[in-house]
Amino acid sequence: MSFFGGVPLAPDDLDWPMIHNRKGLLEPLTFMGQVDLAALPDGPARSLLPTNGYLYFFAPMSGNFDGDASHFVVRYVEGKARNDWGPQHNPGFLEPIDGAENARYRYPWLTWHDKPEKVYPRFYPRIEIELGWLEDVAEVEEGDPDAGDGFPWEVAKQRRRQQLVAFHGAPVSWNDALSGHDKPTDRLWIPFEGFPTNRRTAEVLLGYLKSYIKEETAGIRARLDTLPARLEDPEGARLSALLERYAQFEKDRWRIFQLATTGEAQRGKALDENQRTDLLALLEELRAGALPEGVLERHYIQKRLPMVLNDWIARAAVEGAESALANPDGIAQVPDAVVEALRYRHSVLRDPDFSKNGSYAQHQMLGRGVAIQDAAELMAPEHILLLQLRWDNALDWHMGDAGAAQYWIRPADLAARRFENTVLTFESH
């Protein structure tokens, strides 16, 4: 019952925050996550928070809001979950996360749809979280057994790092097994045995291809529109023939292209052997140059087929593996080596940065908020940090440029359980 992303698990009457956007229209905020307060372990500040109940956190992530949307972003439901609780979807039309303009860059395999803004994700991936306490570390004083190990602030920093490792585990190094960088282009790159794994993998691969074809055919039509209306025009005939080749390419492979649209519940479903064989054959065709040479001015060669194919495969491998791991029935699809390769995406402590200078981006409740611009300095004298959310690749949280969303509450409101008075600040570098 404690997780980030997904949709709230709550009673049907959950008061989902809706705030007027810049156009004056009521718009639901994006759900960021929930915390089961009964799951909080004992610690020095445990008494500040209720012994049970659930906190639900929301944020104005669509890009349609001004500063007024920083209020009324938290909901509190008392008591214990009941059997009639379930997934709660937003009460109105929720905009794509991070806005439709950014979504087309973050989900390029979805742009083939006639109205991609209708299919861009409205919620983040659901990631369960584990809660634990980290003691606040003060500078050592004279007589401390570690006082001779360096300057007081250096010793405090080292103790803090030891606590982080004890809770989060050892720092994780980058693993490029699922990265398309420096992978072979003279043959089809297969990231791991069993790839492509499931319908999510196929959806991403075919979505990239359909989007590529859509872009190229739109470019051809735009060129045709600029040509003079002559019955016999060699350039017009050439471009028209290219359109026919693209149309025939999709028509000949209509069966496998059906996998480009998959329901959420079906994404972890394993591909059967015929589907895997057909999809691998299609990838090999693309690598060998089955599509006509592109007409669009793609300034970077790695964005053109077949060079871009490895990037498509890399993203599809990650998306497919994580869809499989989200379902107990799909875990067998993913080899242990792939789980290790994914670990970096989900790790708080990453090398080499953490081992060199102790830098990390941690989600946290209470304590001191990270200082990015001036919000933490301005809010801390009169507020308590209820929750801090940092950038997180596993959740597709970019938070601007390595920024933070910080939820602040006044001590009097916290004591009175007036969580609706929580204020959100958002900063990035």
Side-chain angles (χ1 to χ4, degrees):
M1 292 293 287
S2 295
F3 55 88
F4 293 141
V7 297
L9 289 178
D12 292 340
D13 60 354
L14 177 69
D15 181 19
W16 192 300
M18 297 183 67
I19 297 177
H20 286 94
N21 60 23
R22 290 192 183 96
K23 295 181 179 180
L25 304 175
L26 272 177
E27 181 181 325
L29 300 188
T30 302
F31 176 67
M32 304 300 288
Q34 69 180 63
V35 173
D36 177 4
L37 294 172
L40 287 179
D42 290 334
R46 180 63 186 87
S47 60
L48 289 177
L49 294 163
T51 56
N52 58 39
Y54 301 86
L55 289 176
Y56 300 88
F57 295 89
F58 300 82
M61 302 301 288
S62 70
N64 296 338
F65 297 95
D66 56 25
D68 292 339
S70 63
H71 298 268
F72 311 114
V73 289
V74 174
R75 295 293 183 263
Y76 172 53
V77 176
E78 296 184 70
K80 298 180 180 180
R82 301 189 304 271
N83 291 336
D84 59 347
W85 287 25
Q88 302 301 317
H89 294 271
N90 64 84
F93 181 73
L94 191 62
E95 292 290 329
I97 52 178
D98 288 355
E101 183 61 28
N102 288 327
R104 69 189 183 99
Y105 296 107
R106 293 180 55 183
Y107 309 102
W109 62 86
L110 294 175
T111 58
W112 65 270
H113 289 272
D114 290 336
K115 294 182 178 180
E117 66 277 4
K118 301 291 186 181
V119 297
Y120 290 140
R122 263 67 184 173
F123 52 88
Y124 295 103
R126 184 181 184 276
I127 303 290
E128 293 184 10
I129 56 177
E130 182 179 352
L131 302 163
W133 286 100
L134 295 179
E135 298 280 354
D136 191 20
V137 180
E139 293 186 0
V140 298
E141 298 179 356
E142 186 177 352
D144 190 288
D146 297 327
D149 292 345
F151 292 110
W153 63 270
E154 289 179 330
V155 176
K157 182 178 179 181
Q158 183 60 31
R159 287 181 173 177
R160 176 70 170 175
R161 291 171 67 176
Q162 290 171 354
Q163 285 195 49
L164 289 167
V165 171
F167 179 66
H168 292 289
V172 176
S173 298
W174 167 248
N175 185 321
D176 70 348
L178 299 182
S179 169
H181 184 65
D182 283 342
K183 295 302 189 291
T185 55
D186 60 341
R187 63 184 186 278
L188 183 62
W189 171 48
I190 306 297
F192 55 89
E193 185 178 355
F195 178 88
T197 52
N198 50 29
R199 293 178 69 98
R200 176 61 168 173
T201 313
E203 179 185 31
V204 175
L205 283 171
L206 295 168
Y208 270 121
L209 177 56
K210 287 176 70 69
S211 298
Y212 189 94
I213 291 174
K214 178 183 177 180
E215 293 167 1
E216 290 294 336
T217 52
I220 293 172
R221 292 189 179 96
R223 289 195 182 188
L224 280 170
D225 289 342
T226 65
L227 297 177
R230 296 197 302 245
L231 292 178
E232 296 184 5
D233 186 316
E235 179 62 7
R238 184 185 75 85
L239 293 174
S240 296
L242 283 179
L243 281 178
E244 286 293 329
R245 287 181 62 187
Y246 277 113
Q248 191 64 44
F249 182 90
E250 289 193 87
K251 183 178 179 181
D252 291 343
R253 296 155 185 83
W254 69 270
R255 189 182 302 277
I256 191 64
F257 271 112
Q258 298 303 306
L259 295 175
T261 304
T262 300
E264 180 71 28
Q266 292 290 314
R267 285 177 173 163
K269 183 179 179 181
L271 297 176
D272 62 39
E273 198 55 38
N274 289 334
Q275 291 169 332
R276 286 191 67 249
T277 300
D278 289 346
L279 191 51
L280 286 171
L282 176 58
L283 294 176
E284 179 57 38
E285 287 183 277
L286 296 175
R287 188 203 66 79
L291 282 181
E293 182 179 351
V295 301
L296 287 185
E297 293 294 333
R298 300 179 189 267
H299 299 293
Y300 301 101
I301 190 172
Q302 66 267 28
K303 297 298 183 183
R304 306 173 192 167
L305 276 172
M307 293 295 293
V308 76
L309 186 59
N310 280 355
D311 288 342
W312 295 358
I313 291 172
R315 186 61 187 261
V318 170
E319 293 285 334
E322 296 206 335
S323 290
L325 293 172
N327 185 339
D329 296 331
I331 292 175
Q333 300 173 17
V334 185
D336 291 344
V338 175
V339 177
E340 286 302 312
L342 289 172
R343 200 173 297 280
Y344 186 87
R345 280 171 49 83
H346 295 262
S347 177
V348 172
L349 311 182
R350 298 177 177 180
D351 272 343
D353 286 344
F354 183 77
S355 293
K356 285 183 177 179
N357 55 36
S359 64
Y360 60 94
Q362 178 177 286
H363 310 303
Q364 70 182 69
M365 299 181 72
L366 309 178
R368 289 190 292 268
V370 62
I372 297 177
Q373 303 297 336
D374 57 6
E377 181 179 350
L378 294 175
M379 300 297 289
E382 296 184 3
H383 295 79
I384 291 173
L385 179 65
L386 184 60
L387 178 70
Q388 172 177 280
L389 303 176
R390 299 296 309 277
W391 53 267
D392 192 322
N393 289 339
L395 284 150
D396 282 334
W397 286 351
H398 299 279
M399 301 298 179
D401 182 9
Q406 295 171 325
Y407 295 81
W408 305 89
I409 188 168
R410 294 180 183 274
D413 288 324
L414 179 58
R417 308 314 188 210
R418 293 189 294 261
F419 290 101
E420 67 277 7
N421 290 344
T422 301
V423 175
L424 172 66
T425 61
F426 182 90
E427 292 181 323
S428 64
H429 294 284

